[in-house]
């Protein structure tokens, strides 16, 4: 049947061409159109990637055009102002208006259904303060008894996002913003690139399971390499990544073709090879070793604040870490709790959608555990 179709198309092409020869030059336009569609159809029939196009040559392509148009049509014609995820149209518009310093107020009131289950709001005070008398740069000092270089952190900082998942321009822009706003910029687990250092904003160096920027040739954590880099004055704190909300327990792969000489030099890996960040750490195997590793990093850094980031899975595992801290009398300077709803550069959808506790569930658990920890350590 396929053969028959191809032969018929070629005959139609020949006929239109001959008609053009004898009748009018306009037939050449028709010939060109038929020729284009014939080539397209034959190409669709012989390709093996898309079964719909193979079964319905040319017309089958409409499905893929529609699919490409779908997000745009959905966004412009179907989605309401409050539907979009992760950032809806109302919030996006506010961001655009404020960035352009245009009017950002709205009339009439909220469009949200405030009686909907899950609606969240902030509680105001009946005694507002004079804006001009407020501390406009509230900061929190991070650093416990073992920390020799405490850091006065802003309460708003930039979450971990690696160079590679973000472009060099984006990294530079975030770091430049951190410099202007006097807050800190987390490098993400992809190591410290020149773009993190160009603008001079404060840096939180994140160390993940790939130990990028602080590893030996076998991919293990290297005290010497870590010590060399961590001395940089821009690095104010070190964050050990155990897991992140969007893909807890997953790890990551840097495909060979994305492992350019530039990225390889930043990560201390061989260019052009596939690099795995396993889901687990090779530098420690249990809560006590984890706590000792945090201490080791703090010592190697000359006493900079060291903390760890995790997405909560089993509560008992977090309690296990707290117990190890009490037993060893060694504490991290901070703990970052990521919710299962957190963003990522790339993750399998099953992990993003269904693994890890959301922030609103995870944070109270951690606060309960850490307050138990605090009272235990005070009574020690
Ligand atoms: C593009 C992108 C890259 C990310 N890369 C990392 C990373 O390297 N390490 C990490 O711990 N989290 C990473 N995250 C997760 C964020 O650091 C953060 O935990 C998450 O987005 C939730 O926090 P937020 O509410 O401040 O966005 C990434 C997120 C995005 C959107």
């Amino acid at each position: 049947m396929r053969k028959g179709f191809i032969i018929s198309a070629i005959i139609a092409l020949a006929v239109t061409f001959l008609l053009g020869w004898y009748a009018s030059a306009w037939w050449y336009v028709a010939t060109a159109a038929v020729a284009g569609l014939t080539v397209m159809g034959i190409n669709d029939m012989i390709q093996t990637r898309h079964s719909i196009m193979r079964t319905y040559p040319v017309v089958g392509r409409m499905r893929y055009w529609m699919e490409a148009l779908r997000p745009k049509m959905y966004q412009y014609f179907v989605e309401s102002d409050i539907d979009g995820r992760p950032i809806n149209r109302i919030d996006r518009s506010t961001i655009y208006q404020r960035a352009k310093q245009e009017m950002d107020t709205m009339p009439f009131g909220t469009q949200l259904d405030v009686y909907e289950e899950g609606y969240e709001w902030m509680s105001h005070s009946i005694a507002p303060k004079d804006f001009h008398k407020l501390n406009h740069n509230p900061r929190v000092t991070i650093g416990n008894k073992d920390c020799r270089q405490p850091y006065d952190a802003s309460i708003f900082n930039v979450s971990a996002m690696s160079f590679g998942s973000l472009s060099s321009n984006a990294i530079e822009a975030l770091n430049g913003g951190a410099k202007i706003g006097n807050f800190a910029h987390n490098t993400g687990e992809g190591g410290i690139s020149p773009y993190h250092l160009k603008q001079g904003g404060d840096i939180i160096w994140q160390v993940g399971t790939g130990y990028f920027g602080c590893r030996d040739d076998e991919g293990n954590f290297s005290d010497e390499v870590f010590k060399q880099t961590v001395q940089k004055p821009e690095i104010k704190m070190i964050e050990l990544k155990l897991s992140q909300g969007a893909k807890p327990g997953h790890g990551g792969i840097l495909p060979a073709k994305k492992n350019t000489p530039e990225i390889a030099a930043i990560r201390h890996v061989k260019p052009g090879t596939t690099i795995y960040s396993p889901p687990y750490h090779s530098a420690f195997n249990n809560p006590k070793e984890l706590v000792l590793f945090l201490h080791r990093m703090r010592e190697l850094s000359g006493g900079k604040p060291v903390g760890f980031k995790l997405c909560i899975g089993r509560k008992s595992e977090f309690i296990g870490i707290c117990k190890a801290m009490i037993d060893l009398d060694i504490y991290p300077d901070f703990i970052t709790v990521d919710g299962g709803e957190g963003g990522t550069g790339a993750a399998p959808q099953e992990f993003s959608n269904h693994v890890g506790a959301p922030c609103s569930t995870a944070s109270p658990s951690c606060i309960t555990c850490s307050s138990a920890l605090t009272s235990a350590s005070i009574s020690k």
Side-chain angles (χ1 to χ4, degrees):
M1 188 206 153
R2 258 158 214 282
K3 221 168 157 186
F5 180 86
I6 295 174
I7 291 168
S8 320
I10 292 171
I11 292 173
L13 194 61
V15 170
T16 40
F17 181 78
L18 284 174
L19 280 171
W21 188 267
Y22 286 109
S24 131
W26 281 106
W27 276 99
Y28 287 118
V29 179
T31 310
V34 175
L37 290 171
T38 306
V39 172
M40 216 186 246
I42 293 172
N43 184 48
D44 289 356
M45 288 170 83
I46 56 178
Q47 58 83 36
T48 51
R49 223 176 132 71
H50 302 293
S51 56
I52 292 187
M53 270 161 57
R54 203 171 151 82
T55 317
Y56 305 103
V58 184
V59 277
R61 285 175 180 249
M62 286 189 57
R63 187 219 166 178
Y64 300 96
W65 293 334
M66 288 299 167
E67 251 186 12
L69 282 176
R70 185 178 179 276
K72 298 171 188 69
M73 290 168 71
Y74 193 76
Q75 194 186 100
Y76 290 122
F77 302 116
V78 181
E79 204 174 68
S80 83
D81 284 354
I82 54 174
D83 275 347
R85 293 278 186 281
I87 303 179
N88 64 35
R89 180 168 280 274
I90 293 188
D91 289 337
R92 271 205 323 270
S93 305
T94 306
I95 293 167
Y96 296 149
Q97 284 158 341
R98 289 191 182 154
K100 292 177 191 158
Q101 303 194 340
E102 285 173 4
M103 209 170 80
D104 62 349
T105 52
M106 64 178 201
F108 296 120
T110 183
Q111 291 180 41
L112 306 183
D113 178 359
V114 298
Y115 297 105
E116 187 186 43
E117 200 171 324
Y119 173 76
E120 287 178 348
W121 73 95
M122 286 171 77
S123 297
H124 64 289
S125 163
I126 52 165
K129 300 262 185 304
D130 179 350
F131 173 77
H132 301 285
K133 290 186 186 154
L134 289 178
N135 172 9
H136 286 186
N137 189 15
R139 300 187 82 81
V140 178
T141 303
I142 300 181
N144 65 29
K145 62 182 177 54
D146 297 325
C147 172
R148 298 193 295 283
Q149 302 188 47
Y151 176 57
D152 265 343
S154 161
I155 58 172
F156 291 114
N157 300 287
V158 183
S159 299
M161 289 179 284
S162 310
F163 168 56
S165 76
L166 296 185
S167 69
S168 54
N169 284 349
I171 296 289
E172 244 188 80
L174 289 173
N175 195 264
K179 174 81 181 167
I180 297 166
N182 200 10
F183 48 86
H185 174 200
N186 191 315
T187 59
E189 62 184 304
I192 302 174
S193 72
Y195 314 106
H196 286 102
L197 301 171
K198 215 163 157 185
Q199 302 289 333
D202 289 352
I203 284 180
I204 302 168
W205 182 14
Q206 187 179 75
V207 174
T209 58
Y211 306 115
F212 296 128
C214 53
R215 58 191 256 146
D216 61 18
D217 292 343
E218 278 74 52
N220 298 311
F221 180 81
S222 158
D223 286 23
E224 291 71 43
V225 188
F226 177 77
K227 203 170 170 182
Q228 271 166 23
T229 308
V230 81
Q231 307 305 330
K232 291 187 196 309
E234 295 88 346
I235 300 177
K236 303 297 180 193
M237 308 207 286
I238 299 102
E239 182 182 76
L240 179 72
K241 176 181 151 177
L242 299 185
S243 59
Q244 76 177 88
K247 48 175 179 177
H250 185 259
I253 297 176
L254 175 67
K257 65 173 186 241
K258 281 196 176 176
N259 184 6
T260 60
E262 184 185 34
I263 290 192
I266 292 164
R267 297 196 176 194
H268 292 194
V269 295
K270 280 201 190 90
T273 54
T274 298
I275 304 292
Y276 296 91
S277 296
Y280 53 87
H281 275 271
S282 55
F284 51 88
N285 288 309
N286 53 48
K288 279 201 174 163
E289 287 179 16
L290 157 66
V291 174
L292 289 170
F293 183 66
L294 292 169
H295 185 62
R296 182 165 133 206
M297 289 206 295
R298 188 161 46 208
E299 289 306 302
L300 289 168
S301 73
K304 292 186 180 179
V306 172
F308 65 91
K309 169 172 178 172
L310 84 173
C311 171
I312 298 292
R314 287 190 198 139
K315 210 167 136 185
S316 57
E317 290 181 346
F318 184 74
I319 294 172
I321 301 175
C322 295
K323 282 191 176 148
M325 294 177 204
I326 298 171
D327 287 352
L328 295 166
D329 193 26
I330 297 173
Y331 304 93
D333 298 289
F334 65 93
I335 300 173
T336 310
V337 181
D338 196 10
E341 68 274 40
T344 178
Q349 69 88 7
E350 295 88 339
F351 278 74
S352 292
N353 287 341
H354 300 291
V355 186
C359 212
S360 56
T361 311
S363 307
S365 311
C366 293
I367 290 167
T368 320
C369 301
S370 8
S371 44
L373 163 73
T374 319
S375 39
S377 60
I378 286 170
S379 64
K380 248 187 145 198

